[in-house]
Structure formats: C-alpha cells, structure tokens
Amino acid sequence: MLNDIVVHIPADRPADGIVGCAVSIAKAFGAHLDGIVCTYQPINPAIVVGASAAYYAAANQYNTDNDEAAARLDQFEIAARAAGITHGARSICDTPVLANESLSEISRLYDLSVVPQPDRAKPGHQDPLPESILFNSGKPMLMVPYIHTGPMQLDRMLICWDGGRQAARAVHDAMPFLRRAKTIDVVAVNEDEEDVGQSSTDALLAHLLRHDLAATAHRYTSPPGNIHNTILSLAADLGADMLVMGGYGHSRLREFILGGVTRGIFKSLTLPALISH
C-alpha cells in the first residue's frame, strides 16, 4: 500500500496540477503527504574556476525566488488541509547538483515520489530531478505532465510491457493503483517471442489474473524512434489515466543517460506516468 508520499513542488512555475494530483492520490490511499520546495542557491563565481561571465550568468538565470517558494508551500498546505489528509511541508536550499542529490536521498524513505515533468520551454535547475530520483532513490516516481490539471483519476491504467526487469518492477510498484483501477490495458510494441522468453505479454496477463486483475493486451509494431508516440497515442485513444512503465538508462558522473523510449516519454508526456528503475 501507499502510506507515505512526497511531492516535489516546483517553485518557478505554476504548481496547481502537481499539487492537485499528489493531494488526490494521498486522499485516495489514506496516505501521509509531504510537500517539498527547493530553492536553488546562486552559484558563487569565486568557486567556478575558469568559467566565463556568460557561463556564470546562464547558470544563475534559473535561480528560484524565496517568496515564490513560500507561496508554493502555502498553496500545498491549503490544498492538503482542504482534503483532510495528514501532511508536512518543508523547503531545502542548496546548489543545483547538491540539492537534487539531497532530494533523491530524501525520496528513498517514501513509498512514492511525485515529480513535475520538465518543461523544455521553461528550463530550470529542477529539470534533472526526475532522472536523479529515478536512478538514485530506489523507489517509484510518478511524473506529472506540466499540462496536467485537476485531481488524479485512477480508473484506467495502461501498462507498457517489454518483458524487461524495469517493466516488471514498475508493475510491482503500481499494484496499489492497479487494484483500484476499473480497467487495465497492456501495450507491447515490437514484441519478439525470442527476446522476451518467459516474460511475454501473455505471461503478464496470467500473472495479473492471479492477482484478480483482468487486463487487455494491445500489440503494435513501430519504428524504434517512434515507440513513445505509439504508446501515448494509444493512451489517448483508450482514455487512460496513468501509464505504468520501466525507466531505462544509466547514470555516469552525476549525468543521467536516458534510454530512447524513456527519453521520448519524458519529453512528450501527456498523462501521469508511474516510472520505476
């Protein structure tokens, strides 16, 4: 079950969608919800060795305002009180890299982290946070699109299945949501029986049925570079409320390298997605 949830609230953009989503999930599961806002410290030019003035200016243009951060926390607490859920609110302040590392560590002690989708039109220091939490927290995250509005709906789930370890982890982590859903769909793109071996879509359907969860399979073929669009198109056609998927990639020297489909979903997400690594 979900008993302890954290939502990472952006300070530099509207937070109605992610706050509404997180609060509604906590209320649905009777979970405690903590809201965290991060204010990113200005980078001290004295420690940026060899950096140009232009680099320093670019790095600092996305620093957050303390008043905006406080306003987002107030917004969160008002929504949490109105929903009647137990909650906490806090802020942290650090340089971008250290702040996102701290937020990932904090997320290790929650059942679910709710994070905002990066908005390419409005870049900020918080943009690497979803990758950091995905690879470093050891827990599932729910990414909320920046276009999302209103509370989270939990009626129809769409599982993205490729037979891999990450996808299996995501199905396990999503069980609380799957048990509440009225309809479960499974999408497999370019499934190859030899590649998936014993972890085929049919085997997943049988596994879910043993949990008293009936699901419908959808099989598609797609060029590798368009798989994420195939998934999102099906989600729209079905009226899915949430994706369930594995997050692929690896970390290297504080840099996170996403797999192709995961990267495409991060950029083009149109509905909340539970992602596990």
Side-chain angles (χ1 to χ4, degrees), residues 177-219:
F177 293 97
L178 298 176
R179 291 192 179 102
R180 296 184 67 94
K182 297 177 181 177
T183 306
I184 301 172
D185 296 283
V186 178
V187 57
V189 183
N190 301 337
E191 184 174 62
D192 186 298
E193 291 184 2
E194 292 186 2
D195 288 341
V196 298
Q198 301 299 314
S199 302
S200 66
T201 300
D202 288 338
L204 172 63
L205 297 182
H207 168 71
L208 293 173
L209 200 56
R210 287 190 287 271
H211 287 268
D212 297 321
L213 299 172
T216 301
H218 307 265
R219 294 176 173 87

Side-chain angles (χ1 to χ4, degrees), residues 70-106:
R72 297 293 182 269
L73 281 182
D74 288 343
Q75 177 185 2
F76 165 75
E77 291 199 90
I78 291 170
R81 283 195 296 267
I85 61 172
T86 63
H87 64 280
R90 61 183 288 198
S91 63
I92 71 169
C93 181
D94 212 329
T95 57
V97 170
L98 295 179
N100 288 333
E101 287 182 355
S102 295
L103 292 171
S104 296
E105 293 171 0
I106 289 170

Side-chain angles (χ1 to χ4, degrees), residues 11-29:
D12 58 351
R13 65 196 67 178
D16 305 62
I18 191 169
V19 168
C21 187
V23 168
S24 63
I25 292 172
K27 184 173 183 178
F29 289 99

Side-chain angles (χ1 to χ4, degrees), residues 117 143-147 232 243 264-273 275:
Q117 175 199 19
M143 180 180 285
V144 181
Y146 54 79
I147 62 171
L232 293 175
L243 287 181
I265 292 291
F266 269 48
K267 291 181 178 180
S268 307
L269 191 63
T270 53
L271 73 164
I275 309 175

Side-chain angles (χ1 to χ4, degrees), residues 140 158-179 184-186 204-205 207-208 211 213 242 244-246 274-276:
L158 176 59
I159 299 171
C160 306
W161 185 251
D162 64 359
R165 178 180 62 82
Q166 290 86 344
R169 181 76 241 180
V171 170
H172 176 274
D173 291 338
M175 276 296 177
F177 293 97
L178 298 176
R179 291 192 179 102
I184 301 172
D185 296 283
V186 178
L204 172 63
L205 297 182
H207 168 71
L208 293 173
H211 287 268
L213 299 172
M242 189 177 87
V244 175
M245 60 178 287
L274 186 144
I275 309 175
S276 297

Side-chain angles (χ1 to χ4, degrees), residues 34-103:
D34 282 335
I36 301 179
V37 172
C38 183
T39 56
Y40 294 93
Q41 290 179 348
I43 298 173
N44 186 342
I47 65 173
V48 186
V49 180
S52 66
Y55 175 89
Y56 172 70
N60 280 278
Q61 66 175 314
Y62 304 129
N63 289 333
T64 46
D65 182 90
N66 288 334
D67 291 337
E68 288 182 343
R72 297 293 182 269
L73 281 182
D74 288 343
Q75 177 185 2
F76 165 75
E77 291 199 90
I78 291 170
R81 283 195 296 267
I85 61 172
T86 63
H87 64 280
R90 61 183 288 198
S91 63
I92 71 169
C93 181
D94 212 329
T95 57
V97 170
L98 295 179
N100 288 333
E101 287 182 355
S102 295
L103 292 171

